[in-house]
Amino acid sequence: MTAQTNRQFLLAKRPVGAATRETFTYQEVPVGTPQDGQVLVRNEYLSLDPAMRGWMNEGKSYIPPVGIGEVMRALGVGKVIASNNPKFSVGDYVNGALGVQDYFLGEPRGFYKVDPALAPLPRYLSALGMTGMTAYFALLDTGAPKAGETVVISGAAGAVGSIAGQIAKIKGCRVVGIAGGADKCKFLVDELGFDAAIDYKSEDVPAALKRECPKGVDVYFDNVGGDILDAVLSRLALKARVVICGAISQYNNKEAVKGPANYLSLLVNRARMEGFVVMDHAAHFAAAGQEMAGWMAQGKLKSKEDIVEGLETFPETLMKLFNGENFGKLVLKVN
């Protein structure tokens, strides 16, 4: 295996504002062989997620930051091509934290097997992976929607939002998505079955919310933060639930994060706002995955992946998330 080359992107510095190519060090190193307990995985697809920007920051969070000089953290799927671990055999396909590189070599902590015969590999990074688990538990456990309620989702054409909205429809809710651009809004309504979509790029969001949610918002699933969070807070219904799943509008701020100005709406409406971290629900991933796969088999749940080819494009492809350029779950095809 040592004749092969492993291309890697390492974190070179902690970015202020957006991460650029200069944030990373690119290197090529020989591929090693697995020691006791280790596996060698040829990475096939990597998941690019807004959370990656947070992993670059120093400070307390739900997961330790990526260290300077370490391979940039990324979830992915790949094929085991050498193994010194009794739980994994050559030929197994696995999902785990593979890193932004051609090959993962190390202990397969938290890795689990996936079957490419049951679903395309990128789907294990979208609806049947951490993205789907995030949408499922953030909506159903934290948001707790009831049939007939109005659910509003920001970043609705993105990886998590598009799945959360479909689950809300399955549960009998009226679903309003907020997305950027006419094509994304049309996709939400025509393809995913949302009841309405608001184009934040061309519409007055507060006015559109008043039009689409005349009785108020029962559940708000927030992926963006900022001004859109403020706009929805002003439309909350009594006993509303606000799920803070992400805040992509704030991740590249060079100044302090912009907090909600309309938070007193929580008091007036006896509403609650709660943060969400998917790993808190890890014990129930398998059961959720089975239910999600069942919905997909019945045609009730659709998954859209935005696949970009080439590991070498990683820094620029990652920025698509923050520019609103991705359409569905952003996945990097390594080769």
Side-chain angles (χ1 to χ4, degrees), residues 296-317:
M296 295 186 80
Q298 296 164 27
K300 294 179 178 179
L301 182 65
K302 297 177 182 178
S303 179
K304 180 177 176 65
E305 291 85 39
D306 185 343
I307 300 174
V308 177
E309 296 198 12
L311 182 76
E312 67 280 1
T313 72
F314 164 67
E316 291 76 24
T317 303

Side-chain angles (χ1 to χ4, degrees), residues 14-142:
R14 305 213 178 275
V16 177
T20 65
R21 185 165 281 273
E22 287 66 44
T23 304
F24 306 98
T25 299
Y26 172 81
Q27 69 177 21
E28 297 183 3
V29 296
V31 176
T33 54
Q35 304 303 306
D36 285 349
Q38 294 185 335
V39 295
L40 179 64
V41 177
R42 186 178 65 231
N43 300 345
E44 299 204 10
Y45 295 92
L46 299 176
S47 176
L48 300 191
D49 301 292
M52 294 170 79
R53 179 61 188 82
W55 298 342
M56 299 177 204
N57 295 336
E58 199 150 33
K60 184 173 183 256
S61 186
Y62 62 91
I63 189 171
V66 176
I68 300 298
E70 291 180 359
V71 174
M72 182 59 206
R73 181 185 296 141
L75 300 176
V77 288
K79 187 176 185 179
V80 177
I81 58 172
S83 178
N84 228 329
N85 186 300
K87 294 181 179 177
F88 297 94
S89 303
V90 171
D92 286 343
Y93 285 87
V94 295
N95 186 319
L98 300 177
V100 183
Q101 54 188 345
D102 286 306
Y103 297 91
F104 168 88
L105 176 64
E107 292 182 28
R109 295 193 186 99
F111 286 26
Y112 60 92
K113 297 175 190 177
V114 299
D115 188 349
L118 295 180
L121 286 176
R123 194 135 305 157
Y124 290 106
L125 299 176
S126 58
L128 296 179
M130 211 59 75
T131 297
M133 296 300 105
T134 300
Y136 182 98
F137 289 105
L139 180 75
L140 298 181
D141 280 28
T142 307

Side-chain angles (χ1 to χ4, degrees), residues 56-236:
M56 299 177 204
N57 295 336
E58 199 150 33
K60 184 173 183 256
S61 186
Y62 62 91
I63 189 171
V66 176
I68 300 298
E70 291 180 359
V71 174
M72 182 59 206
R73 181 185 296 141
L75 300 176
V77 288
K79 187 176 185 179
V80 177
I81 58 172
S83 178
N84 228 329
N85 186 300
K87 294 181 179 177
F88 297 94
S89 303
V90 171
D92 286 343
Y93 285 87
V94 295
N95 186 319
L98 300 177
V100 183
Q101 54 188 345
D102 286 306
Y103 297 91
F104 168 88
L105 176 64
E107 292 182 28
R109 295 193 186 99
F111 286 26
Y112 60 92
K113 297 175 190 177
V114 299
D115 188 349
L118 295 180
L121 286 176
R123 194 135 305 157
Y124 290 106
L125 299 176
S126 58
L128 296 179
M130 211 59 75
T131 297
M133 296 300 105
T134 300
Y136 182 98
F137 289 105
L139 180 75
L140 298 181
D141 280 28
T142 307
K146 304 176 188 68
E149 289 189 327
T150 295
V151 176
V152 172
I153 298 176
S154 60
V160 172
S162 60
I163 294 172
Q166 292 178 82
I167 295 173
K169 283 301 297 178
I170 290 169
K171 297 299 182 180
C173 299
R174 171 175 169 77
V175 181
V176 179
I178 302 174
D183 289 345
K184 290 182 179 180
C185 288
K186 186 175 182 347
F187 171 75
L188 293 177
V189 175
D190 294 351
E191 295 293 324
L192 301 188
F194 282 50
D195 295 285
I198 296 169
D199 182 355
Y200 73 82
K201 290 185 176 179
S202 66
E203 292 188 79
D204 179 276
V205 174
L209 284 165
K210 189 174 182 180
R211 179 188 73 228
E212 300 297 348
C213 311
K215 296 180 181 177
V217 177
D218 298 295
V219 178
Y220 175 47
F221 192 114
D222 188 31
N223 290 304
V224 303
D227 293 337
I228 290 177
L229 170 58
D230 258 341
V232 182
L233 284 175
S234 70
R235 293 296 304 165
L236 294 185

